[in-house]
Amino acid sequence: MGLAVDALFFIVAFATPVAVSIGMISKADDLSKSFTWHPILMSLAFSCFMVLGRWAYVTDSIGDKAQQRPVHRALMVLALLFAIGGYVAIFMAHIKTPTFFGYDFAKHSWKVAPRVIHDFLGYGVLLLTLTQASMGLQKLAKLQSGVKIFTFHGQLGKLILLLAAIQILVACYLWIWSTGYKVLVAVLAVGAALCGTLFPHMAQERQLLSSRA
């Protein structure tokens, strides 16, 4: 991977959270509201730090795998912390109603279908992220002993990136932005996910996977 690809990773990684932050702050009447920070923190978690975590593990700019792994781990831990922060933000916003899994427990009614999908998919992505983090720590500990486990770890990470992008697409449908701005955020989010899942090129990817098998 050359410097151009490295630059592409960083551009697409920060583009989505910047766009989401601008969109949320411009519509927020009170920045202290926890709901405002939910999409900002989640976009930082999945479209930014998780994509960069993937970059750290495939780039040639850092060094060999022994040098890449600590950077990969640090970025993925940041992604997890921001994801947890994003969940805490939406939990605090919904506990007042209370509304969870798309169901309003005060009115005893379901929200609109996209909202229900967004809630269930969000819990699924968060659960997968926690599982992935746990496996990553176990994998690292075993690698230090020369033992390879969870060889599907990288593929699961790609799945999480794609599911998170779908989650942002559903959120774009729900957000009160102009159609043009929704399309912009959606394109940026999908671009970040594809960048994180498609690079490096397939030949190099096969080499990486065979070395970890």
Side-chain angles (χ1 to χ4, degrees):
M1 291 174 63
L3 292 177
V5 176
D6 287 345
L8 176 63
F9 262 93
F10 277 85
I11 291 171
V12 299
F14 283 98
T16 304
V18 167
V20 170
S21 298
I22 292 173
M24 294 304 299
I25 292 174
S26 66
K27 295 293 184 180
D29 54 358
D30 184 0
L31 292 180
S32 66
K33 289 183 177 179
S34 57
F35 177 81
T36 302
W37 296 100
H38 167 68
I40 295 174
L41 294 173
M42 286 301 192
S43 62
L44 279 167
F46 295 100
S47 294
C48 182
F49 289 113
M50 192 168 285
V51 170
L52 292 179
R54 168 69 179 163
W55 162 82
Y57 212 35
V58 298
T59 183
D60 297 324
S61 302
I62 297 176
D64 59 18
K65 284 292 173 284
Q67 295 169 301
Q68 290 173 346
R69 287 187 182 114
V71 180
H72 170 79
R73 182 179 66 246
L75 289 167
M76 287 306 191
V77 168
L78 279 174
L80 177 62
L81 292 176
F82 273 97
I84 292 173
Y87 175 73
V88 170
I90 201 63
F91 179 86
M92 296 304 296
H94 286 170
I95 193 65
K96 301 171 185 177
T97 309
T99 304
F100 295 100
F101 297 100
Y103 186 79
D104 189 326
F105 286 87
K107 298 180 179 179
H108 303 287
S109 62
W110 290 95
K111 297 294 184 179
V112 295
R115 169 70 182 279
V116 175
I117 293 172
H118 182 72
D119 282 14
F120 273 93
L121 182 58
Y123 277 105
V125 171
L126 186 60
L127 180 60
L128 284 175
T129 301
L130 291 168
T131 303
Q132 178 79 333
S134 175
M135 289 192 299
L137 293 175
Q138 295 177 63
K139 184 178 178 69
L140 179 61
K142 289 293 185 180
L143 281 172
Q144 293 172 346
S145 303
V147 180
K148 295 180 180 180
I149 60 173
F150 302 132
T151 55
F152 59 88
H153 182 72
Q155 300 306 310
L156 179 57
K158 291 181 180 181
L159 175 62
I160 293 173
L161 282 175
L162 293 174
L163 290 175
I166 295 173
Q167 178 75 332
I168 293 177
L169 293 181
V170 178
C172 283
Y173 178 82
L174 296 169
W175 288 334
I176 52 173
W177 295 338
S178 67
T179 301
Y181 204 79
K182 289 182 179 182
V183 171
L184 171 64
V185 173
V187 169
L188 292 175
V190 171
L194 292 179
C195 188
T197 55
L198 295 182
F199 285 103
H201 297 299
M202 293 305 296
Q204 185 179 354
E205 184 74 356
R206 285 194 294 269
Q207 182 180 0
L208 286 170
L209 288 175
S210 63
S211 67
R212 298 172 194 163

